[in-house]
Amino acid sequence: MHTEVCLVLFSFLFLHNTESLRPPGVKTETFLSAPFYLKPGQVANKYYYNIPYPKGHIAVKSFNGEVVDEYGNSIPLHETYLHHWIVERYYGLKDSAPGVENDLSKIILVRNSGLCKHTLKQYYGLGSETRKTDTWIPDPYGIVVGNPEEVPSGYEERWLLNLHAIDTRGVTDRLGCTECRCNLYNVTVDEDGDKIQANYIGGLNCCYDETQCKLREGFESVTRKLFLKYTVEWVEWEPRIVPVKVYILDITDTGTGSDSCNVEYEVKECNSEERKNGDCIDTQITRLVMPHGGDIIYGVAHQHSGGAGSALYGQDGRLLCTSIPSYGNGKEAGNEENYIVGMSTCYPKPGSVKIADGETLTLISNYSSNQMHTGVMGLFYVLVAEEDRPLLGPPKNMICFNSLLTWCIEMSVKTGAVFIAGATLISIATMSLYKLHRKNQYEALATARGMVSHPKKRIHYV
Ligand SMILES: *[C@@H]1O[C@H](CO)[C@@H](O)[C@H](O)[C@H]1NC(C)=O
Ligand SMILES: *[C@@H]1O[C@H](CO)[C@@H](O)[C@H](O)[C@H]1NC(C)=O
């Protein structure tokens, strides 16, 4: 009788244990940005200050988003191309009136730890790959933010979103519009009114907010009301969490001074010789000095259409991380043909991939040069833990297992040896499962990521 009770309880715990793919305490919240409006062929490059964001001293575990319409439908990239969304951290004046935020002299940006001085300040940022790129940070790591002790008095920590989207319904040249070809946008000056250089064929200077890409003659369609829907996962801060630093490395970074990151670059079409030899790959290489080292916990590259992979190497040539784009092969959101719909990520076993203080890293970005590409990017995000990883105690439900086991054995002793045998068997099974669980804990969390669908808990409008 007691054995039966034990077995029932054990199977309940086993089931419970295998189904909880996230560590306990992870909170999930989904938000909507303020709306933006797009006519066919139009560009939106918006900045939203003080966006909804989890409050308090927390460790962010993941951040992802996608473009949806006012009915909540996911919008495919061939209709609204998501060039990028970027989330930056800053300190804003506590009692500032709405709008004052836009005065950049009144806010204090909190940059990531990366090497570019004037660009790429964000904590998170993705583009077309946003729907299928893993951003989960495994335990015990997290991006620790919201510590009130770090905020200057009179300020509070806030977040801003920069969103750059290009509507390509009815355009004459989808790739050209998404690569911001200046001729398709019929612009001669950039956003600041400066003349665009004749040798600048395409890139961000030609597809700024409210510019218009060339449409097919007579094409008409509705203006769309769109949002960035973004989901943040986090845990409350606790001493056991090991903070990671965010580094964003840029392939155009010459590493030579204050304004060394151009962020975008151009891929020239290969010549006939290269085409004959099947060598239509453009490889860019840059070397960058990391001021501080540590353990690489996560890595991912950001590339545009045509991207063929990116890799990061240590000073001695050892491979630190490779990130490869995956292209869609259909029409539906998340699987759009010819678009990068996801980037592969690196989850090294903690402690196994280290970089030293002052180490020179080599970054490589490959693109197909079967055709010209303008305004492409070669970024590499790395999360680095400077502290050593603390030893993790057994998960809570394992402690529960053990006390239950003790109870079962006690009961069994009273009712006979048969039950001791049963309890011992269960005990062995528990321990081996526990060992398996510990062994797989790290990988399991990483791979589980894609399988978990997040319930929409709350939707906030700005
Ligand atoms: C391009 O811009 C010029 C002025 O800058 C304007 O006169 C012309 O109509 C535009 N062409 C198209 C196709 O929009
Ligand atoms: C980049 O391209 C070069 C040359 O084709 C190749 O040797 C290298 O393995 C590629 N690296 C990645 C990360 O794709």
Side-chain angles (χ1 to χ4, degrees):
M1 157 60 189
H2 292 301
T3 321
E4 275 151 30
V5 170
C6 283
L7 281 174
V8 168
L9 284 170
F10 271 124
S11 35
F12 170 76
L13 281 174
F14 273 118
L15 276 178
H16 175 74
N17 190 48
T18 48
E19 276 175 4
S20 58
L21 296 168
R22 281 283 189 268
V26 176
K27 296 178 187 167
T28 304
E29 210 163 353
T30 297
F31 306 95
L32 283 188
S33 72
F36 58 100
Y37 298 85
L38 285 175
K39 295 190 191 116
Q42 213 181 23
V43 177
N45 186 19
K46 306 291 184 195
Y47 289 82
Y48 301 115
Y49 291 80
N50 202 7
I51 58 166
Y53 200 83
K55 295 269 177 270
H57 192 186
I58 59 172
V60 183
K61 301 291 283 178
S62 85
F63 196 123
N64 221 324
E66 65 162 337
V67 171
V68 297
D69 67 11
E70 57 193 309
Y71 311 106
N73 301 312
S74 301
I75 302 299
L77 295 166
H78 49 82
E79 294 178 3
T80 303
Y81 177 72
L82 183 53
H83 185 280
H84 65 252
W85 60 266
I86 279 172
V87 174
E88 293 180 20
R89 179 183 176 194
Y90 70 96
Y91 301 138
L93 281 169
K94 253 183 194 157
D95 303 315
S96 55
V100 173
E101 298 270 2
N102 301 5
D103 181 352
L104 290 174
S105 67
K106 295 218 166 62
I107 71 170
I108 304 168
L109 264 177
V110 188
R111 301 180 50 98
N112 62 54
S113 308
L115 310 176
C116 302
K117 295 278 181 300
H118 299 292
T119 52
L120 304 174
K121 308 156 216 166
Q122 68 268 25
Y123 272 61
Y124 282 99
L126 290 168
S128 69
E129 74 275 32
T130 192
R131 289 191 175 102
K132 287 191 178 151
T133 301
D134 205 335
T135 64
W136 174 253
I137 305 170
D139 276 358
Y141 304 98
I143 298 176
V144 177
V145 299
N147 181 356
E149 282 168 24
E150 290 172 3
V151 184
S153 89
Y155 287 84
E156 65 182 14
E157 187 174 295
R158 293 176 188 161
W159 294 81
L160 77 84
L161 168 70
N162 167 221
L163 183 123
H164 190 243
I166 303 174
D167 189 304
T168 60
R169 290 173 294 160
V171 299
T172 57
D173 177 356
R174 276 220 163 85
L175 183 69
C177 291
T178 59
E179 292 192 340
C180 302
R181 292 291 155 72
C182 302
N183 61 334
L184 292 171
Y185 285 93
N186 191 28
V187 292
T188 52
V189 293
D190 69 14
E191 195 161 22
D192 301 326
D194 295 331
K195 199 161 168 30
I196 289 163
Q197 302 294 311
N199 62 355
Y200 187 89
I201 305 164
L204 279 170
N205 289 347
C206 290
C207 59
Y208 41 92
D209 196 31
E210 294 187 6
T211 52
Q212 171 71 49
C213 204
K214 194 173 175 196
L215 293 176
R216 293 197 301 265
E217 191 114 357
F219 182 86
E220 274 179 44
S221 189
V222 292
T223 298
R224 264 189 172 156
K225 183 181 189 181
L226 301 165
F227 306 83
L228 184 78
K229 184 174 104 180
Y230 57 99
T231 298
V232 190
E233 286 182 291
W234 78 98
V235 292
E236 298 297 335
W237 184 84
E238 50 167 306
R240 145 195 115 82
I241 289 163
V242 181
V244 289
K245 286 193 167 172
V246 180
Y247 286 88
I248 303 177
L249 309 177
D250 177 12
I251 194 72
T252 71
D253 188 348
T254 52
T256 50
S258 58
D259 217 348
S260 57
C261 298
N262 197 54
V263 182
E264 58 177 14
Y265 67 104
E266 199 178 296
V267 172
K268 296 219 161 36
E269 189 176 334
C270 56
N271 61 34
S272 53
E273 178 93 0
E274 290 166 326
R275 199 177 290 278
K276 216 167 57 207
N277 298 336
D279 287 342
C280 289
I281 286 279
D282 174 276
T283 300
Q284 299 290 320
I285 302 175
T286 191
R287 293 196 168 76
L288 300 164
V289 180
M290 292 287 282
H292 298 285
D295 290 335
I296 295 187
I297 300 307
Y298 168 86
V300 69
H302 170 72
Q303 293 191 310
H304 289 186
S305 288
S310 181
L312 192 63
Y313 296 88
Q315 194 158 334
D316 58 358
R318 71 194 187 285
L319 179 65
L320 303 175
C321 176
T322 304
S323 181
I324 306 290
S326 56
Y327 286 83
N329 58 13
K331 284 246 167 275
E332 70 280 16
N335 185 34
E336 301 90 334
E337 192 169 9
N338 297 328
Y339 291 88
I340 293 183
V341 296
M343 293 294 300
S344 72
T345 47
C346 294
Y347 285 98
K349 193 166 170 290
S352 68
V353 179
K354 287 184 186 297
I355 39 181
D357 290 352
E359 183 167 350
T360 301
L361 306 186
T362 299
L363 176 60
I364 289 182
S365 174
N366 284 348
Y367 270 81
S368 159
S369 56
N370 271 315
Q371 62 184 109
M372 177 185 73
H373 293 287
T374 59
V376 302
M377 293 190 192
L379 305 183
F380 216 103
Y381 281 68
V382 259
L383 299 182
V384 177
E386 291 179 0
E387 288 174 36
D388 283 337
R389 183 175 189 240
L391 281 173
L392 285 172
K396 276 194 191 109
N397 42 6
M398 285 302 168
I399 296 167
C400 177
F401 267 157
N402 291 346
S403 50
L404 192 68
L405 196 66
T406 314
W407 177 78
C408 278
I409 291 170
E410 275 168 13
M411 297 315 275
S412 302
V413 167
K414 285 178 194 155
T415 43
V418 172
F419 299 127
I420 296 181
T424 312
L425 268 176
I426 291 161
S427 157
I428 291 165
T430 309
M431 290 324 283
S432 26
L433 199 86
Y434 171 46
K435 278 187 191 139
L436 200 74
H437 171 83
R438 288 220 48 182
K439 190 165 152 274
N440 289 338
Q441 192 173 27
Y442 194 77
E443 285 81 2
L445 288 177
T447 49
R449 171 77 186 132
M451 308 187 304
V452 180
S453 66
H454 307 289
K456 279 179 230 148
K457 287 212 176 129
R458 273 186 274 166
I459 299 267
H460 296 254
Y461 288 83
V462 176

